[in-house]
């Protein structure tokens, strides 16, 4: 199973910054140790590709380092040439994963899921919306299943008037973004929601997704719903997240459509716990696709 990564493009952050930059390399290490994955460096997305979902002026300003400082503050990263490279590779990974999904049925990116980026501005650690760029590039009827604990507000806004895209967001109602956008389907969960209620609400989404008849599914698989996450307010267990992932994989099987899996948020500490939560998503995807069984003790212990 091929997966794309871009953690080798590091970028400078001030000391104590909330962005969990370390989790990406940890995740890649866990999957490398597990075996069965073809870990591939992501290519850079081209500006013309990004402009399929973004304002060309905004794209150019970000690439040039002339983006409005207020927008950079909302994104939450200092601008740097290294950040540009990381951002282009993050979008490029989702584009490559989408091409894989269209040819093999599955594609995965160990980055992306930057769902807070709007057409002409970024926000919340998200510069460009890789999901939106990939949906536009795929050119198919698409459902975006966003299970990050934060609403997929940028994605919702970009596709608000597009009847060919079903945006679905299951998130914490009292969490960022505090001004919610309108997805086609939004479920706002109360603080402290646990596995049983979460999985019931999730399962209840399937009839509407089937009714929409998507030709491809995009899964934003953020793990910040995990209990104890610094920026989440839900109380999902590792097992609950595993059942959540299996639910989405089952939908793709049931519908017989390709699936693209991107990362999303995850801020639990220690950071190894967050990396493990992401890793179990991709290990489950490997089993779901009938790949080789775990050959290492790491995989057997944590599965
Ligand atoms: Zn999040």
């Amino acid at each position: 199973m091929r997966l794309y990564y871009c953690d080798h493009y590091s970028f400078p952050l001030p000391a104590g910054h909330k962005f969990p930059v370390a989790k990406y390399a940890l995740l890649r290490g866990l999957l490398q140790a597990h075996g069965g994955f073809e870990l591939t460096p992501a290519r850079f997305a081209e500006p013309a590709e990004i402009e399929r979902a973004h304002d060309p002026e905004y794209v150019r300003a970000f690439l040039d380092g002339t983006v409005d400082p207020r927008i950079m503050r909302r994104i939450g990263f200092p601008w740097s040439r290294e950040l540009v490279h990381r951002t282009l590779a993050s979008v490029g990974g989702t584009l490559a994963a989408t091409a894989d999904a269209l040819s093999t049925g599955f594609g995965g990116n160990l980055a992306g899921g930057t769902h807070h980026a709007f057409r002409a501005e970024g926000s919340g650690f998200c510069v460009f919306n890789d999901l939106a760029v990939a949906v536009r590039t795929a050119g198919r009827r698409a459902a975006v299943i966003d299970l990050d604990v934060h609403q997929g507000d940028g994605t919702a806004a970009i596709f608000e008037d597009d009847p060919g895209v079903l945006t679905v967001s299951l998130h914490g109602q009292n969490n960022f973004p505090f001004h919610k956008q309108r997805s086609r389907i939004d479920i706002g969960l109360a603080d402290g929601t646990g596995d049983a209620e979460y999985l019931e609400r999730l399962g209840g989404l399937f009839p509407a997704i089937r009714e929409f008849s998507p030709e491809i599914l995009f899964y934003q698989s953020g793990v910040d719903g995990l209990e104890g996450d610094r920026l989440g307010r839900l109380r999902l267990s590792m097992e609950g997240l595993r059942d959540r992932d299996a639910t989405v994989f089952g939908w793709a099987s049931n519908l017989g459509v390709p699936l693209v899996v991107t990362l999303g948020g995850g801020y639990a500490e220690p950071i190894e716990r967050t990396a493990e939560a992401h890793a179990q998503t991709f290990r489950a995807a490997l089993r779901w696709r009938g790949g080789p069984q775990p050959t290492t003790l790491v995989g057997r212990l944590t599965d």
Side-chain angles (χ1 to χ4, degrees):
M1 169 176 285
R2 193 184 300 148
L3 299 174
Y4 296 92
Y5 66 86
C6 59
D7 61 85
H8 55 305
Y9 295 110
S10 64
F11 58 102
L13 286 174
H17 195 281
K18 275 193 296 188
F19 186 73
V21 71
K23 82 174 181 182
Y24 296 87
L26 282 169
L27 169 61
R28 175 155 64 106
L30 287 171
L31 297 177
Q32 185 85 58
H34 180 274
F37 298 101
E38 185 186 338
L39 298 163
T40 306
R43 69 173 175 89
F44 285 168
E46 299 290 336
E49 293 175 311
I50 297 169
E51 288 170 14
R52 290 170 189 157
H54 288 283
D55 176 37
E57 293 272 305
Y58 170 56
V59 175
R60 191 171 331 113
F62 176 72
L63 299 181
D64 292 348
T66 57
V67 76
D68 185 331
R70 282 173 306 176
I71 293 180
M72 286 314 300
R73 274 198 297 279
R74 286 188 58 189
I75 291 170
F77 296 140
W79 187 90
S80 63
R81 181 55 54 194
E82 293 89 341
L83 177 65
V84 170
H85 292 158
R86 173 67 167 249
T87 299
L88 293 176
S90 176
V91 178
T94 298
L95 286 171
T98 301
D100 285 356
L102 290 172
S103 61
T104 72
F106 178 86
N109 185 15
L110 303 180
T114 45
H115 58 170
H116 298 310
F118 288 72
R119 186 171 182 278
E121 60 184 353
S123 161
F125 305 154
C126 301
V127 177
F128 297 136
N129 193 315
D130 60 305
L131 295 160
V133 172
V135 165
R136 286 268 158 80
T137 300
R140 317 272 173 113
R141 248 177 116 69
V144 182
I145 314 298
D146 190 327
L147 301 188
D148 192 280
V149 83
H150 304 103
Q151 193 206 27
D153 56 345
T155 319
I158 288 171
F159 294 116
E160 191 169 17
D161 299 319
D162 188 337
V165 182
L166 181 74
T167 51
V168 178
S169 182
L170 184 62
H171 52 260
Q173 185 60 28
N174 300 320
N175 211 325
F176 178 92
F178 300 105
H179 175 70
K180 303 279 189 292
Q181 300 293 319
R182 200 154 15 145
S183 312
R184 291 283 288 283
I185 301 175
D186 279 304
I187 294 186
L189 299 166
D191 291 359
T193 296
D195 292 346
E197 185 187 349
Y198 185 94
L199 292 168
E200 192 184 328
R201 302 292 293 271
L202 179 64
L205 292 170
F206 186 61
I209 295 167
R210 187 176 46 205
E211 169 88 359
F212 179 78
S213 300
E215 297 167 309
I216 183 168
L217 293 186
F218 289 83
Y219 175 27
Q220 203 275 23
S221 66
V223 297
D224 40 12
L226 190 62
E227 180 167 20
D229 187 279
R230 285 182 299 130
L231 302 183
R233 295 179 181 183
L234 303 190
R235 297 185 58 189
L236 304 184
S237 67
M238 284 292 225
E239 294 71 29
L241 286 175
R242 191 172 56 195
D243 291 347
R244 172 196 80 153
D245 294 338
T247 298
V248 178
F249 299 152
W251 291 349
S253 294
N254 188 308
L255 296 167
V257 298
L259 174 69
V260 179
V261 180
T262 72
L263 235 57
Y267 311 92
E269 285 178 336
I271 197 66
E272 285 76 9
R273 189 165 138 82
T274 297
E276 170 55 27
H278 284 303
Q280 79 172 359
T281 299
F282 293 98
R283 291 197 304 263
L286 187 62
R287 286 194 301 276
W288 169 63
R289 297 285 292 167
Q293 288 304 299
T295 52
T296 67
L297 197 57
V298 173
R300 286 174 50 205
L301 279 175
T302 52
D303 282 344

